[in-house]
Amino acid sequence: MKKLIAIDGPAGAGKSTVARLLAKKLSYLYIDTGAMYRAITYFLIKEGINYEDLEALNQALKKIVLDFKVIDGASVIFLNGKQCNEEIRQTIVNQHVSPVAKISTVRHFLKKKQRDLARSTFSVTEGRDIGTVVLPDADLKIFLTARPEVRAQRRWKELKEKGIDLPYKEVLENVQQRDTIDSTRSEAPLRPAIDALLVDTSDMSIEEVVNFLYQKAVEDD
Ligand code: DC
């Protein structure tokens, strides 16, 4: 049984869904690190803090307490004792989270928090730099990927379901652009750890991916 599981990969590879379902199947804590970057971003916006002002940012970080609690079998993020699942998915947060996630003080602050949380129990931690930076000692490292066209198709469908109808070409360009930014940023770029298991989900269903990873998690080396 692998105690510490890290899942990384680009947007649209199915990471969040797979990580959540895998954690549930294993009865492990699911840690969504993207939600943590989002919660910090939401706090900074709500308090009107200019995150380019390092002093103000440092003061703000001291006032943030993040936690996950399991409610009805799902892990829910808490910011200073309050649930903020919906707030952190707002468009304004989407717009600011990438620049906030680039700031090294923010990454440093969250790295420690993520490590402590992940090691406190049996856990599945999902993000962009989990296998490389946050939990380089993880027992199982997965890098989920999918062809850009497939990821764009999934994103296009997701947006359409939310009532946002964009041309597929625009969504694909956005996916490709984000891939470039994420993999070339100097702070914790998105890349697989040397010892990560690469899984291309392009032609797999969610269920197939979850079952495959479950086998990897429970098998002895
Ligand atoms: O997975 P997501 O869309 O909720 O992530 C939100 C943002 O946080 C996204 O810009 C990538 C960033 N992020 C990161 O830099 N490192 C992580 N471990 C997780 C997310």
Side-chain angles (χ1 to χ4, degrees):
M1 205 81 173
K2 315 286 194 307
K3 184 179 178 199
L4 209 52
I5 302 178
I7 302 187
D8 291 298
K15 252 179 326 150
S16 302
T17 314
V18 165
R20 185 168 37 79
L21 292 174
L22 178 67
K24 199 170 174 195
K25 203 168 158 90
L26 288 162
S27 298
Y28 282 19
L29 176 68
Y30 162 50
I31 304 169
D32 172 359
T33 61
M36 299 171 88
Y37 284 97
R38 287 172 178 275
I40 288 191
T41 307
Y42 168 63
F43 180 86
L44 297 172
I45 296 168
K46 188 165 66 79
E47 300 293 316
I49 292 154
N50 171 12
Y51 51 80
E52 282 167 6
D53 175 348
L54 258 189
E55 185 49 36
L57 175 66
N58 280 326
Q59 290 306 320
L61 290 178
K62 287 185 190 150
K63 296 184 200 147
I64 295 179
V65 178
L66 291 177
D67 213 350
F68 284 95
K69 284 186 192 144
V70 179
I71 301 177
D72 295 332
S75 61
V76 177
I77 188 160
F78 280 74
L79 168 66
N80 295 336
K82 281 201 192 121
Q83 271 197 46
C84 59
N85 260 343
E86 277 176 28
E87 291 85 344
I88 64 171
R89 310 278 160 201
Q90 294 172 61
T91 312
I92 181 108
V93 175
N94 290 343
Q95 284 163 348
H96 288 274
V97 67
S98 265
V100 169
K102 268 191 185 172
I103 306 171
S104 72
T105 342
V106 172
R107 298 206 75 85
H108 188 78
F109 172 82
L110 280 186
K111 182 167 82 177
K112 184 174 180 334
K113 181 81 200 149
Q114 290 160 0
R115 267 188 190 160
D116 292 348
L117 254 175
R119 290 183 179 150
S120 67
T121 179
F122 287 64
S123 56
V124 175
T125 306
E126 175 240 318
R128 307 288 197 285
D129 60 341
I130 310 306
T132 49
V133 177
V134 179
L135 302 171
D137 57 337
D139 303 309
L140 177 63
K141 297 182 190 174
I142 312 288
F143 194 86
L144 283 190
T145 174
R147 293 188 293 277
E149 295 74 18
V150 174
R151 290 189 283 119
Q153 178 69 35
R154 289 175 183 163
R155 179 89 187 118
W156 177 83
K157 202 172 150 228
E158 203 180 279
L159 288 170
K160 202 174 167 69
E161 278 162 9
K162 282 189 196 158
I164 307 164
D165 205 355
L166 289 179
Y168 166 76
K169 200 168 160 277
E170 197 178 314
V171 180
L172 176 62
E173 276 165 12
N174 185 265
V175 161
Q176 286 166 330
Q177 229 168 43
R178 273 180 63 173
D179 282 358
T180 311
I181 297 173
D182 287 352
S183 51
T184 55
R185 72 176 176 210
S186 58
E187 194 73 35
L190 173 69
R191 60 181 167 79
I194 313 169
D195 50 349
L197 178 67
L198 266 89
V199 182
D200 187 330
T201 67
S202 301
D203 304 308
M204 291 170 88
S205 69
I206 295 285
E207 199 188 3
E208 280 171 332
V209 181
V210 173
N211 287 340
F212 176 73
L213 297 187
Y214 179 80
Q215 283 312 318
K216 292 286 164 198
V218 297
E219 78 187 13
D220 293 322
D221 288 323

